[in-house]
Amino acid sequence: MDVAPWVWWTTLAVTAVALAVDVFVIGRRPHEPSMRESARHLVGYVGAAVVFGIGVWILAGSRYGGEFFAGWLTEYSLSVDNLFIFIIIMGKFAVPRQFQQTVLLVGIVIALVMRGLFIAVGAAAITHFSWVFYLFGAFLVLTAVNLVREGNEEDQQYDEPRLVRWLRKHVPLAEGWDGVRLTTRSGSADARRAFTPMFLVVITIGITDLLFALDSIPAIYGLTSEPYLVLTANVFALMGLRQLYFLIGGLLERLVYLSYGLALLLAFIGVKLVLHALHENELPFVNGGEHVSWAPEIPIWLSLVVIVGILVVTAVASLVKDRRDRTPPA
C-alpha cells in the first residue's frame, strides 16, 4: 500500500486540528457533557471511521479496507476495556464530574503521542526483523492469560504507579482542586506553588496509556503491517473514547465477560502472529532458517469475522448474565 507523503501530512494535520478544537472548547468551558451531546459526537466519530474505511476499501482494495476495519474494531474494543481503568482512576482521585472530560482529553492526547512512537518503532522493527512477530505473538498470548486471571478475581484493586506514590512523598501537593490547573498557590501571592490533584491524575493517565499501548500496538500489527492503517485505526478508536466514557459508563459494569472476550481476541491475534512468523521464518534454529511452508496464513476476512463474532458473543452473553443476576428469584 503506497501512501503519498501529502496523505500522511494531511491526516496528521486533520487529527491535530480536531484535537486543538477539543482542547480550545473544553479548556474554555469544562463541563460534564449530556447524553445527547456525547451520543452526537460519538456517532460523528464512528461515522467518520466507517466512511474512511469504505474509502480505503474503494481506493486501495478490499484487503486493506478489511485490515482497517479489523484493526479499528480491535483497537476500539481494547479502548473500551481501558475505560474500566479510567473509571477507577477518576474515583480514586475523586475527580469532579465537570473536570473529567478534560482529564480524558489529556489522556487521549498522551495516548496518541505514545502510540505514534510505538507505531514508528514497530514499523521499523518488522521491516528489518521478521522474528519480531514471534515476540509480538508470545506477548499477546501472555497478555490474554493475564486477562483471564484478572477476570477470575472477584475483588480487583487498582494500585497507583510507583512514580505517583513517589510524587506524593517528595513534591508539594495542594489539598484541593483549582479548576483544571496543574499547579496552584494557596493563600498569599508569594505562597509556595504546589501541584494540584489534576497533576497526579494526568501522570497516572499517562502511565496507564503507556501500558495500554504495549498491548494495542502488537495486536493491530497482527492484523495489518501498514503503518498508515495502524495509525488511522488508533486515531479513530481514541477520538471517540471520551464520548463513550460518558455515554456508556454505567453499561461498562454490565459487561462482565469483557475481559474473557478480549483475552480470546488477543490470543487469536497472537496465534495469527506466530503463524505469520513461521511462514516468514528466518531464525536458524527454527526449521533450519527456512520458511515453514505448512504454516497457514489466516486471511483478513476470516480475522474480521472472528473479531466481530467474539465481540458480539461477549456483549450478548454479558448482558444476558447481568439481566439474570438482576432478576429477583421467584
Side-chain angles (χ1 to χ4, degrees), residues 153-225:
E153 296 177 3
E154 296 182 359
D155 297 325
Q156 298 184 31
Q157 297 181 352
Y158 175 77
D159 295 328
E160 281 187 349
R162 293 182 179 179
L163 176 59
V164 175
R165 295 200 296 268
W166 184 90
L167 290 173
R168 287 188 182 277
K169 297 179 180 179
H170 296 87
V171 301
L173 297 174
E175 295 183 0
W177 295 77
D178 188 5
V180 294
R181 294 182 179 88
L182 301 180
T183 62
T184 186
R185 295 182 186 273
S186 57
S188 59
D190 58 348
R192 185 183 183 185
R193 183 169 290 275
F195 292 101
T196 65
M198 176 65 77
F199 173 76
L200 295 181
V201 174
V202 169
I203 296 296
T204 304
I205 292 290
I207 295 174
T208 304
D209 284 335
L210 174 61
L211 298 177
F212 288 156
L214 293 175
D215 294 341
S216 63
I217 299 305
I220 193 171
Y221 268 119
L223 300 169
T224 178
S225 59

Side-chain angles (χ1 to χ4, degrees), residues 302-324:
L302 180 57
S303 298
L304 188 57
V305 170
V306 171
I307 291 169
V308 173
I310 290 174
L311 296 179
V312 170
V313 171
T314 299
V316 172
S318 296
L319 296 178
V320 169
K321 184 180 186 304
D322 179 76
R323 183 176 182 180
R324 289 178 178 177

Side-chain angles (χ1 to χ4, degrees), residues 147-153 256-265 310 314:
L147 278 176
V148 172
R149 290 177 177 175
E150 293 174 1
N152 289 328
E153 296 177 3
V256 293
Y257 294 134
L258 180 61
S259 60
Y260 297 105
L262 292 180
L264 184 58
L265 177 62
I310 290 174
T314 299

Side-chain angles (χ1 to χ4, degrees), residues 10 29 54 59 64 86 93 110 149 181 198 210 222 239 243 258 295 302 313:
T10 301
R29 189 173 62 91
I54 294 175
L59 298 176
Y64 294 116
F86 287 161
F93 285 93
I110 295 175
R149 290 177 177 175
R181 294 182 179 88
M198 176 65 77
L210 174 61
M239 291 298 286
Q243 290 76 18
L258 180 61
L302 180 57
V313 171

